[in-house]
Amino acid sequence: MQKNDLIKNVLAAVMLLAGASAATSCQGLIDAVIGDVDKPTTVTPSTPVAPTSENLPMIETPLTFEAVTGTINLTFKSTLKDAVALEYSTDGGISWNTVSVPSGTPEYYDGESHEEVPGTLNTTDAEKIMVRATNATYGESDWNISSSEVIRHCSISASDDCYVYGNVMSLINATDFKTLTAFDATKGEYAFYGLFKNNSHIKNHTEKELVLPAATLTKGCYNSMFSGCDKLTSTPVLSATMMAESCYFNMFRNCVSLTVVPELPSTTMAKDCYGLMFSGCTSLTKAPELPATTLAENCYSSMFSDCTGLTSAPTLPATTLANSCYNGMFMRCTGLTTASDLPATVLAEYCYQNMFRGCTSLAAAPALPATTMADFCYTRMFDGCSSLTSAPALPATILAKRCYSYMFRDCTSLNSVTCLATDISAEDCTTNWLRGVASTGTFTKTASMTSWTTGSNGIPSGWTTKDYTE
């Protein structure tokens, strides 16, 4: 009996036992199983699942670099305080070479900036190089002479184009990486900070995925990990559902070839968790869903800034905001034409600052229902949105410090504003808010409001004023 026939018979028996009501779902199961019997197991889960060899086949393979053509040589650089023991194999894991990557010392300048002076190690040229180690972390925080935090880290670069795949946790535990799904709680901060940063040679393999299986994250664990990797076209699956501070910060920044991004299902945010995550990913046309309803400080700050290929914003259901949570989120996304609703009615400081600044194709602004302002909450929110013709209604009656400052500056097509403010005494609350708008337009205000001035800080010269009626 053929393999497919055997499977059909077994599943048909299950259908009979289950009853007619299960026939449809069982038939679907038969079709799915038969269709995939002779195919390799590759799963891209729509919702987070525990990483296993079934849904992530490469989880049992050490981190591997495979030359696209010819051979490659890897260079390891470290600014860690201590040397790092490391093993690499050029024969598919049959034998391993044990080496030590020397420590390196960051060179400090004015007490704030620094330049890395790394210890280095080169491997032997080979078609394929596997890497493993037992080391709690490949990054650590340090403090320079003026008590500013600096991140020490280890990085890997390749001499020529190569595919990268396998389980990155083989750098943390050489033998038990297959089941390792958490970073060390005390030493795991900045674990893979900058690991492949500016590596212009690494590429995605079409059939072998890079696995980042950690479900429990630590501060900065993936910070800047792939920043500047300009040949990556897709990202690894990110399984964690609870964020840690700066965990994905800068992770794929300036990955200009990136077209496929991971699902980001977390509803538990942390400070800076997604900050600058995809900034400068100019080939990205679609953003992942962002389901969190309670945000954290800077959590989405500049997340998609300079993503010029992005045409629409994801749904943003959050109703509990935090300081700077959306600051610069879509700044200079010149292809963005539509924005999602922003349902929050109570704002936080800087929460929407620069959010759509420089989005020159944005033709319609989202509704802004908030009636309780916060300092700098809308500062420069639509600055430079030259396609915007009508401002969203602004129902707040009492303004806050710089809340509308530069909000619609250089919106050259803007010719309609409805603002119901009756108290505009807060410091610089409307400074240059309508500077550079259309030469004619209509300004709708509360009938009793007589404090508006004429000009870019108030009602633009040449505009018609009318009273608001419900």
Side-chain angles (χ1 to χ4, degrees):
M1 181 180 294
Q2 296 296 314
K3 178 169 57 176
N4 286 0
D5 292 334
L6 176 60
I7 294 174
K8 281 184 178 179
N9 290 340
V10 171
L11 292 177
V14 172
M15 288 175 62
L16 290 174
L17 291 173
S21 62
T24 301
S25 59
C26 285
Q27 185 60 52
L29 177 60
I30 291 174
D31 294 339
V33 172
I34 296 304
D36 291 336
V37 156
D38 297 315
K39 296 180 181 179
T41 305
T42 53
V43 177
T44 303
S46 58
T47 55
V49 295
T52 67
S53 58
E54 292 183 359
N55 56 44
L56 292 173
M58 301 306 294
I59 200 169
E60 297 186 359
T61 301
L63 180 64
T64 302
F65 300 83
E66 180 181 335
V68 174
T69 59
T71 62
I72 53 169
N73 186 56
L74 300 183
T75 298
F76 298 84
K77 296 182 179 181
S78 174
T79 61
L80 299 177
K81 295 176 183 177
D82 301 313
V84 179
L86 190 133
E87 295 178 285
Y88 70 93
S89 173
T90 58
D91 57 10
I94 297 173
S95 60
W96 293 87
N97 304 289
T98 302
V99 294
S100 179
V101 182
S103 60
T105 304
E107 181 178 343
Y108 298 102
Y109 289 97
D110 57 5
E112 296 180 1
S113 61
H114 71 284
E115 184 173 298
E116 297 171 0
V117 182
T120 63
L121 170 76
N122 292 335
T123 66
T124 303
D125 284 331
E127 294 180 4
K128 183 187 297 184
I129 302 172
M130 291 180 167
V131 185
R132 71 182 188 183
T134 297
N135 187 55
T137 179
Y138 277 79
E140 60 192 8
S141 60
D142 194 12
W143 299 89
N144 70 13
I145 55 176
S146 66
S147 298
S148 295
E149 188 175 24
V150 172
I151 310 304
R152 295 173 176 264
H153 64 99
C154 187
S155 62
I156 304 175
S157 59
S159 59
D160 297 282
D161 285 1
C162 60
Y163 302 115
V164 59
Y165 55 85
N167 191 340
V168 72
M169 299 301 268
S170 69
L171 291 176
I172 301 294
N173 192 307
T175 56
D176 294 330
F177 66 88
K178 305 175 187 66
T179 58
L180 191 60
T181 59
F183 292 108
D184 188 290
T186 58
K187 299 179 180 179
E189 291 187 355
Y190 301 104
F192 291 137
Y193 176 92
L195 185 64
F196 304 112
K197 186 177 182 180
N198 295 328
N199 191 331
S200 61
H201 287 300
I202 61 172
K203 305 178 72 173
N204 300 99
H205 195 285
T206 56
E207 297 178 355
K208 303 173 184 178
E209 73 272 28
L210 179 63
V211 181
L212 276 59
T216 301
L217 307 183
T218 55
K219 181 181 178 181
C221 57
Y222 294 136
N223 190 325
S224 302
M225 187 175 183
F226 300 97
S227 178
C229 293
D230 55 12
K231 290 183 179 176
L232 285 183
T233 56
S234 63
T235 68
V237 173
L238 298 176
S239 303
T241 56
M242 183 176 294
M243 297 296 94
E245 182 178 339
S246 301
C247 58
Y248 295 149
F249 188 86
N250 240 5
M251 190 175 183
F252 300 102
R253 187 178 186 183
N254 292 331
C255 290
V256 295
S257 299
L258 197 67
T259 57
V260 180
V261 296
E263 294 183 10
L264 299 174
S266 178
T267 56
T268 303
M269 298 287 97
K271 181 182 178 182
D272 295 311
C273 58
Y274 293 140
L276 290 162
M277 187 176 184
F278 301 106
S279 177
C281 293
T282 53
S283 297
L284 193 64
T285 58
K286 184 179 180 181
E289 293 182 9
L290 300 170
T293 56
T294 299
L295 305 187
E297 184 178 350
N298 290 311
C299 62
Y300 295 141
S301 181
S302 297
M303 186 177 184
F304 301 102
S305 61
D306 297 301
C307 288
T308 54
L310 202 64
T311 57
S312 62
T315 301
L316 300 172
T319 52
T320 302
L321 307 187
N323 290 352
S324 296
C325 55
Y326 290 125
N327 191 345
M329 188 175 186
F330 302 102
M331 188 164 58
R332 294 184 297 273
C333 288
T334 54
L336 194 72
T337 58
T338 59
S340 57
D341 292 338
L342 299 172
T345 56
V346 178
L347 306 185
E349 292 185 4
Y350 304 94
C351 59
Y352 295 133
Q353 179 176 267
N354 293 317
M355 188 174 185
F356 299 103
R357 184 180 181 182
C359 292
T360 55
S361 298
L362 188 67
L368 299 176
T371 54
T372 302
M373 298 289 97
D375 292 351
F376 300 90
C377 57
Y378 292 135
T379 301
R380 299 183 185 272
M381 187 176 184
F382 301 102
D383 187 354
C385 292
S386 54
S387 297
L388 200 63
T389 58
S390 178
L394 302 172
T397 56
I398 301 175
L399 304 191
K401 180 180 178 181
R402 292 187 179 272
C403 64
Y404 292 158
S405 178
Y406 294 90
M407 187 176 183
F408 300 103
R409 185 183 71 161
D410 292 334
C411 291
T412 54
S413 301
L414 188 69
N415 58 28
S416 177
V417 173
T418 297
C419 179
L420 304 185
T422 55
D423 184 345
I424 57 174
S425 62
E427 180 183 345
D428 295 323
C429 60
T430 61
T431 296
N432 286 317
W433 80 308
L434 294 176
R435 177 183 173 184
V437 297
S439 57
T440 59
T442 301
F443 189 95
T444 303
K445 65 177 186 66
T446 300
S448 61
M449 177 58 172
T450 59
S451 300
W452 285 113
T453 59
T454 299
S456 60
N457 295 344
I459 301 173
S461 302
W463 278 36
T464 301
T465 302
K466 72 174 187 178
D467 293 335
Y468 175 77
T469 55
E470 294 186 10

